[in-house]
Amino acid sequence: MNRLKNKVAVVTGGNSGIGFGIAESFKNEGAVGTITGRNETTLKISADALNNEFIGIKGDVNNLDDLENVFKKTAEKFGKIDVLVVNAGGVVDGVPLDSIENVTEESYDQYMDLNLKSAYFTVQKSLPYLNDGASIILIGSSAAHRAAPGMAIYGAAKAAIVFLAKGLSLDLLPRKIRVNTLSPGSIDTPVFGKLVPEEQLELVKQMWSDITPIGRQGLPSEIGNAAVFLASDESSFIVGTEILADGGLTNISLMK
Ligand SMILES: NC(=O)c1ccc[n+]([C@@H]2O[C@H](COP(=O)([O-])OP(=O)(O)OC[C@H]3O[C@@H](n4cnc5c(N)ncnc54)[C@H](OP(=O)(O)O)[C@@H]3O)[C@@H](O)[C@H]2O)c1
């Protein structure tokens, strides 16, 4: 119940899916802090659901001034920050994941900006407000390791995230800030509604359950549990690495 007592956390994209699951797990372990997102309505609903132990601050992770504002306001309210979860990302609104024939320079940039560049600058903008000894958790993906149709750019961006945890851990060693990647497999979140029409939703989720060795999609709370470990002092010797929370998707083949 108190593994994160007295910790202040920022979870980007905490108003939906995995980010909300992480914020909820953090709250259940005694943390307070900030969730971010662009949608003010879901930010408010999510903050209320977290008993307002987490406040909502509106911000676009592609906008460096917005990022600065998130950390400045969090530090003003709570003091220094102990945990940063770089979670916002995934699907670009209105831009389908697609195979190379259909990708434009613009859609390439939009995916790379959301899933790689924004993560780098989220970390950079947090640094003046992070405590020495803080834990930074980058949300990666099993897509960094296992190709799937239409997901080459997304997977490449997430593979780069896995490396960022190593490079940034090195940069931040003097401050004893640990950076690790937490890579989910297929998790049941609203993201699938952004990818396929309503009538195909259950079919697509079932397809992911079928190819996941454990036989189902994961829950946001299961990513939350792993994030609690990485955020807490229990993971004090874990630096610059990746934890896969994917029901076996990356490492086990279901050969019949
Ligand atoms: N679900 C999965 O199966 C899965 C698997 C592996 C990895 N992941 C990763 O897990 C993370 C969360 O995914 P999810 O499944 O929870 O997706 P989701 O339910 O679609 O949530 C995405 C979150 O990111 C925020 N966001 C998106 N664009 C943003 C922007 N430009 N600025 C600020 N916030 C932005 C959204 O808030 P607003 O719309 O309010 O801005 C929302 O809170 C992503 O990094 C994704 O790549 C997901």
Side-chain angles (χ1 to χ4, degrees):
M1 284 289 287
N2 284 319
R3 290 156 76 202
L4 300 179
K5 198 167 159 47
N6 299 325
K7 300 256 191 211
V8 176
V10 173
V11 182
T12 66
N15 55 343
S16 181
I18 290 173
F20 179 78
I22 291 173
E24 195 170 41
S25 299
F26 282 7
K27 182 212 71 165
N28 291 342
E29 292 293 343
V32 295
T34 297
I35 54 172
T36 80
R38 293 161 303 170
N39 183 319
E40 281 180 295
T41 306
T42 52
L43 264 181
K44 183 168 178 345
I45 293 168
S46 301
D48 285 347
L50 297 165
N51 299 338
N52 294 297
E53 303 284 355
F54 278 71
I55 59 167
I57 300 180
K58 188 181 171 190
D60 186 331
V61 291
N62 290 318
N63 180 315
L64 271 57
D65 291 336
D66 281 8
L67 289 171
E68 171 81 34
N69 181 54
V70 164
F71 296 114
K72 189 164 176 289
K73 285 214 175 113
T74 303
E76 278 165 11
K77 174 145 179 80
F78 298 104
K80 283 272 182 173
I81 299 162
D82 304 291
V83 181
L84 168 63
V85 184
V86 183
N87 164 78
V91 173
V92 176
D93 301 323
V95 183
L97 292 162
D98 223 328
S99 59
I100 189 163
E101 297 84 0
N102 301 320
V103 168
T104 63
E105 186 177 6
E106 187 188 11
S107 64
Y108 175 96
D109 285 343
Q110 286 172 312
Y111 267 90
M112 279 297 185
D113 284 356
L114 178 61
N115 287 293
L116 178 57
K117 182 181 171 188
S118 81
Y120 186 86
F121 285 102
T122 300
V123 174
Q124 188 196 63
K125 291 296 174 187
S126 74
L127 291 177
Y129 305 97
L130 282 189
N131 271 321
D132 288 357
S135 172
I136 298 176
I137 302 166
L138 309 178
I139 299 301
S141 173
S142 55
H145 306 284
R146 195 179 199 271
M151 290 172 73
I153 300 170
Y154 174 75
K158 291 297 190 179
I161 290 289
V162 174
F163 188 83
L164 271 193
K166 303 177 194 184
L168 296 180
S169 283
L170 178 60
D171 286 355
L172 299 173
L173 274 183
R175 293 185 55 192
K176 297 186 166 41
I177 294 173
R178 299 181 294 116
V179 190
N180 291 291
T181 303
L182 172 55
S183 290
S186 183
I187 308 299
D188 190 0
T189 75
V191 79
F192 292 92
K194 299 176 185 173
L195 288 167
V196 294
E198 175 74 31
E199 60 273 17
Q200 289 173 21
L201 206 51
E202 284 316 308
L203 199 68
V204 168
K205 289 183 180 186
Q206 189 58 50
M207 185 273 293
W208 280 105
S209 297
D210 291 345
I211 64 166
T212 300
I214 209 169
R216 61 175 176 83
Q217 288 192 295
L219 301 171
S221 61
E222 294 179 299
I223 304 305
N225 291 338
V228 166
F229 170 67
L230 284 175
S232 77
D233 301 334
E234 291 167 22
S235 59
S236 53
F237 205 56
I238 298 183
V239 182
T241 193
E242 179 187 25
I243 292 182
L244 284 159
D246 69 350
L249 185 62
T250 305
N251 290 317
I252 298 172
S253 287
L254 287 177
M255 306 246 286
K256 297 218 165 99

